[in-house]
Amino acid sequence: MFIQANRSDEGDYHNDNELWTAFREGNRKALSALFMRYYDTLLRYGLKLISDEDMTRDGIQQMFLRLWEKKENIADADSVKFYLLLSLRRTLFRMQDRNASRERRNAEFGNNQFDSYNNIESKIIDQELEEERKALYRQALNELTNRQKEILFLRLHHGMKNKEIAEMTGLTHQRVRNYMSEAVSKLKEHIFDTRMSN
């Protein structure tokens, strides 16, 4: 790794804004602290995008190296987490563009992105559904398009707002709202229809 990460570095900074400012000013300990603070989150998100652990780990390294090289030109970030997730998304897609055609990338993205929805299932099912509804929810997810799944994942797993999701996915704010509304309606409709027919 090009970053000599040390968990003790994180204790020097109380919040993300302090950390981000120190990093932009050339503090290598701040870079290491950023790396340690967000590595697990970035890895989980990267694996949702490409399902290739080696490429995801390489992408995280490349992203931090690129950020360090361009630190003087990086703007202030309203949300450090959002900035890093968006940067990783762009880095991984650039890597895939070099290794495969757009069609292959989209197919792999669609097939592999949402293989594991355990976290989202747990949040929704544990709060609203009894044990027998788990199967209904999984069936309902299969009815969603890949884009609806991605937007639902970003909202529920990372707590992103529509504006942030729009910026990350390249969609308009209204389109994100439409996708979210369609996804929720589909889930409710599928679960209701299945329960009524049983």
Side-chain angles (χ1 to χ4, degrees), residues 68-107:
W68 181 252
E69 291 171 346
K70 299 192 174 293
K71 59 187 175 295
E72 293 86 2
N73 300 319
I74 293 176
D76 198 11
D78 292 331
S79 166
V80 173
K81 179 180 179 181
F82 173 73
Y83 190 99
L84 293 175
L85 288 170
L86 180 58
S87 296
L88 179 62
R89 187 178 201 267
R90 290 174 176 164
T91 298
L92 292 177
F93 283 171
R94 275 197 301 267
M95 290 170 71
Q96 281 195 323
D97 280 339
R98 289 194 297 264
N99 298 331
S101 68
R102 179 175 294 275
E103 291 77 18
R104 176 176 177 137
R105 185 189 77 219
N106 287 342

Side-chain angles (χ1 to χ4, degrees), residues 126-147:
D126 290 349
Q127 294 173 10
E128 300 176 14
L129 305 174
E130 297 170 1
E131 190 63 32
E132 73 266 11
R133 294 183 188 171
K134 288 184 180 180
L136 291 177
Y137 182 70
R138 283 192 292 270
Q139 291 170 5
L141 280 177
N142 288 333
E143 300 294 319
L144 301 182
T145 66
N146 289 332
R147 184 64 89 179

